[in-house]
Amino acid sequence: QVQLVESGGGLVQAGGSLRLSCAASGRTFSTYAMGWFRRAPGKEREFLAVIAWSAGKTYYTDSAKGRFTISKDNAKNTIYLQMNSLKSEDTAVYYCAATRVVADLNILSRGSYFEVWGQGTLVTVSS
């Protein structure tokens, strides 16, 4: 089993940046891809980005393109989400997730294929 721990959330002013981290431990060798999701107050979970663990290919939702960047450090078993030009509507709890399912990244973006989830980290953007 893989365990995921997110960090890096906090309070930031609109226009600012944050980098979230997600450290994986346990049976990480079986992981095919890891992704970032968020849930804003009163809204459903939203997919943001996914990265293939070995190949490094990435896929983003349209709303994340240009402002958010997903990356990985295999040596540290960690993925990151660099978030720039933050807006008040980016306020949410951000989750990372991992899957062993091998599929096109756009299919994995549906979320249901992710088997392991972190506890989430809160990002608050003040306007």
Side-chain angles (χ1 to χ4, degrees):
Q1 183 71 314
V2 174
Q3 294 82 41
L4 304 175
V5 178
E6 302 99 334
S7 61
L11 176 64
V12 63
Q13 289 190 331
S17 298
L18 275 178
R19 189 179 79 157
L20 306 182
S21 301
C22 174
S25 61
R27 299 173 63 87
T28 59
F29 62 86
S30 62
T31 297
Y32 174 71
M34 293 181 67
W36 285 100
F37 297 77
R38 69 184 180 187
R39 188 188 296 273
K43 295 188 177 181
E44 294 186 352
R45 185 184 67 197
E46 177 187 14
F47 163 77
L48 296 173
V50 60
I51 187 166
W53 189 245
S54 294
K57 292 178 63 176
T58 59
Y59 179 82
Y60 296 86
T61 188
D62 287 344
S63 62
K65 289 178 183 177
R67 293 195 302 128
F68 293 179
T69 302
I70 190 171
S71 61
K72 64 182 179 72
D73 185 331
N74 290 64
K76 296 182 178 180
N77 285 335
T78 298
I79 66 167
Y80 305 95
L81 186 68
Q82 177 68 43
M83 304 186 295
N84 299 325
S85 302
L86 285 164
K87 309 172 183 178
S88 57
E89 51 263 43
D90 293 318
T91 294
V93 178
Y94 285 70
Y95 300 90
C96 68
T99 180
R100 297 170 297 177
V101 175
V102 179
D104 289 341
L105 298 185
N106 64 317
I107 294 176
L108 294 179
S109 70
R110 298 172 188 173
S112 58
Y113 293 101
F114 285 86
E115 304 149 309
V116 180
W117 294 79
Q119 83 288 351
T121 186
L122 176 63
V123 172
T124 303
V125 183
S126 63
S127 56

